[in-house]
Amino acid sequence: DAGVIQSPRHEVTEMGQEVTLRCKPISGHNSLFWYRQTMMRGLELLIYFNNNVPIDDSGMPEDRFSAKMPNASFSTLKIQPSEPRDSAVYFCASSLGSAQEFGYTFGSGTRLTVV
Amino acid sequence: QQQVKQSPQSLIVQKGGISIINCAYENTAFDYFPWYQQFPGKGPALLIAIRPDVSEKKEGRFTISFNKSAKQFSLHIMDSQPGDSATYFCAPRFRNAGNMLTFGGGTRLMVKP
């Protein structure tokens, strides 16, 4: 298995532009999580899905952020319009809730810079 | 909300020494206690985990000690190596809450050769 795949790895955009981050979870995993990591705030959970359904989006900073999971193999996190304070590393993680040894598998992240 | 407090924030250890990272939690609904390891440019990866019915778990040089009454668990790295230099997160799981993990603030470990 190739693991959790995120794209792009790096994104530099201008303030006000729309940004779309993509994630392909591990096949067979039924939960998907989007995190944001910054030096100041550490790892923050933005939203998570279970069986493609959003369960908790209380971590989404504001209406500029939206996430979708149209099927079990794909999810997107969109920021529109982007702002410099959105600059961070965004991680996607997936898990299989019923696994004996439960754990999240993280992707390598997307480093977003908004100038 | 500070449900998980991790300490220290950073740690410098000489090669061959013991690294100890602590995690204190408040919520008694946590039912699974993992540690994650993150190298620069990578996502966190599950390192070792313990269930609350066990007080200690050892995997190679890594040991988790769990104190249920004190609501604390710690990671011990024996014979620390420069390759262990990374950021470590405790991330206890809520019971029956969609397998949510609550990540601590992280500890940046540097092992000097």
Side-chain angles (χ1 to χ4, degrees):
Chain A
D1 199 321
V4 175
I5 300 173
Q6 290 187 248
S7 63
R9 285 299 312 273
H10 302 273
E11 177 79 36
V12 180
T13 191
E14 291 185 346
M15 182 175 62
Q17 296 297 306
E18 177 180 297
V19 176
T20 299
L21 311 182
R22 297 172 175 79
C23 175
K24 177 178 168 54
I26 289 177
S27 177
H29 280 191
N30 59 355
S31 296
L32 184 139
F33 307 83
W34 281 101
Y35 281 86
R36 178 171 68 177
Q37 186 174 39
T38 60
M39 288 293 292
M40 290 297 294
R41 300 175 68 89
L43 269 170
E44 300 175 275
L45 176 65
L46 301 177
I47 185 170
Y48 85 93
F49 295 84
N50 196 43
N51 294 322
N52 312 339
V53 176
I55 303 300
D56 185 348
D57 66 354
S58 60
M60 296 286 260
E62 47 199 273
D63 292 346
R64 298 185 297 106
F65 286 69
S66 63
K68 294 181 179 180
M69 191 165 186
N71 56 61
S73 60
F74 184 66
S75 177
T76 60
L77 178 67
K78 184 179 294 185
I79 308 172
Q80 165 64 17
S82 57
E83 297 182 4
R85 60 193 167 120
D86 302 330
S87 297
V89 181
Y90 291 80
F91 287 103
C92 173
S94 69
S95 73
L96 179 58
S98 60
Q100 184 69 19
E101 288 297 327
F102 171 81
Y104 288 7
T105 301
F106 282 81
S108 293
T110 294
R111 181 175 294 276
L112 173 66
T113 303
V114 183
V115 298
Chain B
Q1 61 275 25
Q2 274 275 28
Q3 296 195 58
V4 178
K5 293 184 180 180
Q6 195 173 327
S7 62
Q9 286 187 311
S10 62
L11 181 62
I12 300 174
V13 174
Q14 289 294 131
K15 178 182 175 181
I18 301 173
S19 304
I20 301 174
I21 304 171
N22 300 298
C23 190
Y25 61 95
E26 299 173 359
N27 198 323
T28 56
F30 290 135
D31 70 340
Y32 182 73
F33 299 87
W35 285 93
Y36 280 74
Q37 179 188 54
Q38 183 181 27
F39 292 108
K42 300 291 186 182
L46 178 63
L47 178 64
I48 186 172
I50 197 169
R51 298 193 181 273
D53 54 345
V54 178
S55 61
E56 186 175 282
K57 181 176 181 179
K58 184 176 180 179
E59 290 183 357
R61 296 184 296 108
F62 300 91
T63 300
I64 295 182
S65 296
F66 181 70
N67 186 329
K68 189 173 183 178
S69 61
K71 291 189 284 187
Q72 292 180 347
F73 62 112
S74 59
L75 175 68
H76 296 236
I77 306 174
M78 310 300 288
D79 186 26
S80 299
Q81 300 297 311
D84 298 330
S85 297
T87 301
Y88 293 81
F89 297 92
C90 61
R93 181 182 71 176
F94 273 111
R95 182 189 312 130
N96 297 327
N99 296 316
M100 288 270 297
L101 298 180
T102 301
F103 281 84
T107 297
R108 183 171 292 185
L109 170 66
M110 180 186 295
V111 181
K112 288 192 169 183

